[in-house]
Amino acid sequence: MLRKLYRWGPSPSVIRKSYVWVGPPTSRPSPYTVAKEDASFRVVTRSVGDPVIRIESGPVWLHNAPARKRFFQSLARTTSDLVGEAKRCGGFIIPCGIRVGNFRWDQVLDSDLYGVETASLEEQTMYANLLRLFTDCLIAAGGRGGIQPDGSLTGKSRLRIESIGLFSPRVWISTEPRFLALAEGQMRADEGIPSLDSLEIVPRSDALSFGVLSSLVDAQAFSPSVRAFSILHQAIYLRARRMVGTRTSPSSLRQDVLERNRSRAVSDGLQARFEPGFKLASTAFLDLVESLREELQVLEVEIEELAPVLLGVHLRSLGYGALQTENELLQETVRTSIRAQRPPEEGLAELIARAGLRDVLLERNQQSYKAATSELMAWWESWLKSSAPEIRHKPSRPPIDRHAERGHGKGSRPGGHRFSNRESKPGEILLELFDQTRHRVASIPERVALLRSFRSRAATVNLGLAMSQIPSGRRAAIASWIGPNSGKVRAFTPDSRFWGNPLAAEPLAQCRNTGMALMAVEVQQRDERQLQDWLSELRKQLPAGIEMLNWARPTFQGKLRQELILIGIGEDGK
């Protein structure tokens, strides 16, 4: 049965994941195959006597969220099995990029590999050239800084600092085999590049037809991070397919500019500044994700899949001291092990086995910045499901939560970096809009206009967050103007298919007729987490032309009441 038809759809991928075997050399695994439900992984050593081991997949379809979940659950189980086998042999499996024992840097460094099968020679050329344009972003976001035995962090991509065998990608006029052979000979003679396989983007693969292999991302510690980067590679390929189909050419980037940006990404990571314009690398990475919304929608991506590489970067860009990459969590694990007088490799192996397909970075950031993390997750989730042209640069920055910063001084961040808070907060935007309209009659059209302006400028649906940022003396006036008597609205009980029930008919009809409606839901206070999950699902299923904003959230007699405002929006999202 035909389930879905693509115009420019996804393609099979191959993935290679690397770890380090710490323990007796004689106990390191020989090549073998680990069969799982939906994928087969080959676990091999990089070379004879080398501590780096690689988990390699065959071609696999990762075209939607369920397929990706099955595959990466299988990868996580394979990793856990390796941790268990190493333990039985008296050793440990730890992430790459961490020096323990007497290992040299070259013995503990490797990249993950992301391969995509393209449909034609033209697509292969286009994808390789398009992916090249994002070299700096992917290295900055996926760089694994080297962690020394004392827990100190050196560099942002230790692999590229140490390596003399990795070279930046080149522009291809064609990836036809004869042309590649000529280019390979010329690079060997002119630049000392031994083969195409030394490039970070290789337009050929034995396992894939017209394949393109990318080693731009350093070996990640956790399966969710690998999944996120695999999604970005597949999304960039979909963009390349669309460009081939529409006869669009990618922008050009001089090789010397690429080399300088790549060097900055290697040394400074997401704090680097890229040419032209010296844009901050974290901003450039978030811009990349934003530019791929159509492709991410084709892949049916959920925000939970991108969160491992996205949410920490976004939180940090807004001024929070959030964990931005795996480096910070792994460095903390090493230091904790040292303080506990236990081998760091023991704590690292336990972390890998325990993590599975859980997003441990997101969990840690939620512990420290629960409200901000939930708000951003909701915003990105809405963004992924929408076609409205709102972008991240319009949202205001949430306030810096100084009390939640663990052990850092006022205004500081890990690494001593300071963040400005120059953009307006949601509360400031709401207060400004209210001051412009408060002398007018609080008619529904005026209130709808204010709420639409707030939604557009603040790019958030959480009015409650905005109200919490407004001085208490002004809140009552704003509340009575926007939602008079909202506390008297009859509350509903959460329902998984709420919008299709008769209960929803009245507020929906009112919203469509007048442009605005109030509703509320009540749960026991202990069910706060379930309420958040229900609201998230409710937002996914919103009828076309309707937006839902979180309003007041009072508690009483052990119950939690979430008041909501529905507003009508036009086809252009305004």
Side-chain angles (χ1 to χ4, degrees):
M1 179 186 293
L2 181 64
R3 300 293 297 273
K4 190 169 185 179
L5 183 63
Y6 299 103
R7 186 175 184 184
W8 293 295
S11 186
S13 302
V14 295
I15 291 175
R16 187 190 72 201
K17 180 81 207 70
S18 295
Y19 288 102
V20 176
W21 179 285
V22 180
T26 55
S27 66
R28 289 175 193 154
S30 301
Y32 66 97
T33 299
V34 182
K36 291 298 178 183
E37 297 171 4
D38 297 300
S40 239
F41 296 103
R42 214 171 145 254
V43 183
V44 300
T45 54
R46 184 166 58 178
S47 61
V48 177
D50 194 292
V52 170
I53 59 174
R54 292 169 167 173
I55 306 172
E56 300 176 345
S57 81
V60 60
W61 283 93
L62 303 175
H63 55 290
N64 59 23
R68 290 187 293 270
K69 184 176 181 179
R70 288 193 298 269
F71 175 82
F72 286 101
Q73 279 180 336
S74 186
L75 175 61
R77 286 194 297 268
T78 301
T79 303
S80 181
D81 291 344
L82 283 173
V83 172
E85 180 176 341
K87 187 175 181 179
R88 288 191 295 273
C89 297
F92 304 94
I93 296 292
I94 68 170
C96 294
I98 303 173
R99 281 188 62 201
V100 295
N102 297 319
F103 283 131
R104 305 184 308 272
W105 278 124
D106 63 289
Q107 294 178 295
V108 297
L109 299 172
D110 200 14
S111 63
D112 289 337
L113 194 72
Y114 300 89
V116 175
E117 180 177 278
T118 65
S120 66
L121 190 66
E122 191 176 6
E123 285 188 5
Q124 183 185 41
T125 305
M126 178 69 78
Y127 174 48
N129 288 337
L130 186 62
L131 188 59
R132 169 185 173 272
L133 298 179
F134 306 121
T135 295
D136 47 10
C137 285
L138 293 173
I139 289 177
R144 287 293 317 285
I147 300 176
Q148 297 277 19
D150 63 357
S152 59
L153 189 66
T154 60
K156 298 298 181 180
S157 175
R158 193 73 206 182
L159 172 66
R160 285 161 178 81
I161 291 174
E162 296 291 329
S163 177
I164 59 173
L166 284 175
F167 297 89
S168 58
R170 277 17 185 199
V171 178
W172 301 105
I173 299 173
S174 171
T175 54
E176 196 272 331
R178 289 186 302 167
F179 183 86
L180 289 179
L182 291 172
E184 187 173 43
Q186 186 173 0
M187 287 190 295
R188 186 183 301 115
D190 297 345
E191 304 176 64
I193 298 176
S195 70
L196 288 181
D197 295 329
S198 299
L199 299 178
E200 290 167 330
I201 298 174
V202 183
R204 68 182 183 193
S205 170
D206 295 333
L208 300 169
S209 300
F210 303 109
V212 176
L213 302 179
S214 165
S215 57
L216 293 169
V217 178
D218 293 355
Q220 301 295 291
F222 307 112
S223 294
S225 300
V226 182
R227 178 174 61 183
F229 281 115
S230 73
I231 288 171
L232 292 180
H233 279 81
Q234 186 75 230
I236 294 170
Y237 166 61
L238 290 182
R239 173 61 55 85
R241 292 202 77 179
R242 186 188 302 272
M243 294 174 72
V244 170
T246 57
R247 299 297 174 185
T248 307
S249 299
S251 57
S252 60
L253 181 68
R254 296 202 322 264
Q255 190 67 24
D256 62 319
V257 175
L258 183 145
E259 298 282 1
R260 289 195 294 271
N261 286 344
R262 179 182 179 276
S263 296
R264 294 182 181 112
V266 168
S267 60
D268 299 325
L270 289 163
Q271 281 69 52
R273 296 276 180 177
F274 294 151
E275 299 178 46
F278 293 94
K279 179 186 290 187
L280 192 64
S282 58
T283 301
F285 177 69
L286 293 172
D287 286 346
L288 168 60
V289 176
E290 285 180 354
S291 72
L292 296 170
R293 175 158 64 175
E294 291 184 29
E295 288 74 24
L296 296 173
Q297 289 173 342
V298 170
L299 293 169
E300 303 176 28
V301 174
E302 304 289 343
I303 180 55
E304 290 79 8
E305 298 181 287
L306 288 178
V309 300
L310 181 65
L311 261 292
V313 178
H314 198 171
L315 281 167
R316 189 75 72 86
S317 73
L318 296 174
Y320 291 97
L323 295 178
Q324 191 170 211
T325 66
E326 292 182 351
N327 288 330
E328 295 157 75
L329 180 61
L330 296 174
Q331 185 182 21
E332 183 180 289
T333 302
V334 170
R335 289 177 170 173
T336 299
S337 297
I338 293 173
R339 286 194 297 269
Q341 297 183 338
R342 64 188 301 214
E345 52 267 34
E346 186 176 332
L348 291 165
E350 289 177 0
L351 178 63
I352 292 173
R354 189 170 63 250
L357 203 56
R358 291 167 40 227
D359 185 353
V360 289
L361 281 177
L362 178 62
E363 290 176 2
R364 291 294 301 277
N365 286 332
Q366 284 175 326
Q367 291 173 8
S368 300
Y369 309 101
K370 182 177 179 181
T373 302
S374 297
E375 172 69 15
L376 287 185
M377 288 286 284
W379 188 88
W380 279 104
E381 183 178 51
S382 174
W383 177 88
L384 279 168
K385 306 300 180 185
S386 169
S387 59
E390 60 184 7
I391 59 172
R392 170 189 40 84
H393 299 98
K394 291 183 180 179
S396 60
R397 299 172 186 254
I400 297 176
D401 187 352
R402 304 193 188 282
H403 297 292
E405 294 165 14
R406 301 173 300 280
H408 299 293
K410 184 178 181 180
S412 66
R413 297 290 180 273
H417 188 73
R418 292 179 178 270
F419 293 84
S420 62
N421 195 18
R422 293 170 291 185
E423 295 181 14
S424 299
K425 300 174 184 178
E428 294 171 348
I429 293 174
L430 182 60
L431 188 57
E432 176 190 341
L433 292 170
F434 173 71
D435 286 338
Q436 293 172 359
T437 58
R438 62 177 173 171
H439 300 299
R440 305 174 190 172
V441 177
S443 64
I444 288 182
E446 290 287 352
R447 288 153 62 194
V448 171
L450 182 147
L451 293 174
R452 286 176 176 172
S453 296
F454 172 82
R455 173 184 173 275
S456 175
R457 288 183 54 186
T460 178
V461 294
N462 196 338
L463 281 166
L465 171 65
M467 290 289 283
S468 70
Q469 298 169 351
I470 294 174
S472 57
R474 306 291 306 277
R475 289 180 201 160
I478 297 175
S480 64
W481 198 94
I482 292 178
N485 302 318
S486 59
K488 296 181 180 180
V489 174
R490 183 167 65 93
F492 302 114
T493 301
D495 186 309
S496 60
R497 297 183 179 179
F498 177 76
W499 297 122
N501 289 349
L503 290 174
E506 183 179 346
L508 285 176
Q510 184 180 356
C511 182
R512 290 191 174 106
N513 292 334
T514 67
M516 180 178 178
L518 293 169
M519 53 181 283
V521 60
E522 282 183 5
V523 296
Q524 295 297 321
Q525 202 164 347
R526 63 177 179 270
D527 296 329
E528 180 181 1
R529 176 64 63 85
Q530 288 85 341
L531 173 62
Q532 293 305 308
D533 293 341
W534 181 77
L535 290 174
S536 176
E537 288 298 317
L538 200 67
R539 194 174 302 283
K540 290 180 184 177
Q541 302 167 18
L542 270 172
I546 304 290
E547 179 62 278
M548 184 175 75
L549 291 84
N550 293 6
W551 183 228
R553 198 178 179 189
T555 57
F556 59 99
Q557 298 178 349
K559 289 187 176 182
L560 178 64
R561 176 186 172 96
Q562 174 67 70
E563 296 170 6
L564 305 162
I565 298 178
L566 302 181
I567 61 171
I569 56 176
E571 293 181 356
D572 58 355
K574 297 180 180 179

